[in-house]
Amino acid sequence: MQPIQLIVGLCNPGKEYEGTRHNAGAFFVQELARQCGSEITPESKFHGSTARVRFAGHDLRLLCPSTFMNRSGKAVAAVARFFRIAPETILIAHDELDIPPGEARFKHGGGHGGHNGLRDIIPALGGSRDFHRLRVGIGHPGAAKDVSNYVLSRPSHADRLAIDHIIVEAIASLPLLLAGDTVKAMTRLHSIHSDPGNPPEAPSH
């Protein structure tokens, strides 16, 4: 496995969408930047906000696109082309309806699973699906007709605590993934489950 060079947190831009479930990928990248003592800043040529950090002995570029979700590929491709970053060295963090809040999954390869951000990224990377994903659970509203409003709304206090908790755990599992030990990274992260009735304390900021 080639080492990961770019970590992308998918999101919609603007105050209107700040803190919404669809921005869970950006929550991850923003917290990672914070833990590294850095801050992602706007970079117009990359159609997003970026940072360069050192984490667990690895040099990483971070990106939160400033395009809307269904145009995420524009930003990812711009950074990948400029720095000559191969798809297999990219980690995309995104919200996942099929996983409850308080859980997350690492995955390598696969389709877009109906996620509009991934749907746009795959052709932007020349059709390659060979990138890593961090699927951050946000839960499902129960009916397909409610999905759009659900992902564009803010989670409950308990759900946000659970999402923030699993993001911290995902960052704690990240060194294993960066070292190429995908199975250990998955085993560690996938074993963590938050109790919805007893949400964890929010991480300190």
Side-chain angles (χ1 to χ4, degrees):
M1 168 183 158
Q2 294 186 60
I4 289 169
Q5 299 179 53
L6 171 64
I7 301 180
V8 182
L10 298 189
C11 56
N12 281 312
K15 290 288 184 184
E16 179 184 354
Y17 299 104
E18 198 172 279
T20 59
R21 293 179 176 93
H22 223 9
N23 285 23
F27 300 167
F28 173 78
V29 166
Q30 289 159 358
E31 174 62 16
L32 177 58
R34 188 196 70 81
Q35 289 194 20
C36 293
S38 186
E39 187 176 335
I40 56 172
T41 56
E43 185 73 62
S44 60
K45 70 179 177 182
F46 296 136
H47 313 288
S49 294
T50 66
R52 185 177 182 180
V53 300
R54 190 81 179 164
F55 179 78
H58 295 265
D59 188 29
L60 301 171
R61 296 189 183 277
L62 308 181
L63 168 69
C64 287
S66 59
T67 58
F68 281 95
M69 186 68 73
N70 62 356
R71 296 299 308 278
S72 299
K74 183 177 183 180
V76 176
V79 175
R81 280 196 304 268
F82 188 85
F83 294 109
R84 299 182 181 179
I85 294 172
E88 58 269 25
T89 67
I90 299 173
L91 170 64
I92 307 287
H94 64 89
D95 58 304
E96 179 55 67
L97 288 161
D98 294 332
I99 299 174
E103 298 182 24
R105 301 283 185 271
F106 285 124
K107 181 182 178 182
H108 181 243
H112 56 69
H115 193 286
N116 286 335
L118 299 181
R119 193 195 304 270
D120 193 61
I121 288 168
I122 290 169
L125 293 178
S128 175
R129 303 180 179 198
D130 196 29
F131 50 87
H132 299 266
R133 300 104 187 274
L134 171 65
R135 305 162 69 207
V136 181
I138 61 169
H140 198 285
K145 65 181 177 60
D146 297 327
V147 165
S148 181
N149 286 337
Y150 179 78
V151 300
L152 296 178
S153 63
R154 290 172 177 79
S156 67
H157 179 67
D159 281 359
R160 182 60 197 255
L161 286 178
I163 291 168
D164 286 347
H165 171 74
I166 201 62
I167 281 171
V168 170
E169 293 293 350
I171 292 171
S173 304
L174 187 57
L176 292 168
L177 189 69
L178 296 176
D181 206 332
T182 307
V183 173
K184 279 188 179 178
M186 289 180 172
T187 300
R188 185 194 182 283
L189 181 60
H190 300 185
S191 67
I192 298 166
H193 305 275
S194 292
D195 178 0
N198 185 28
E201 292 297 319
S204 58
H205 289 270

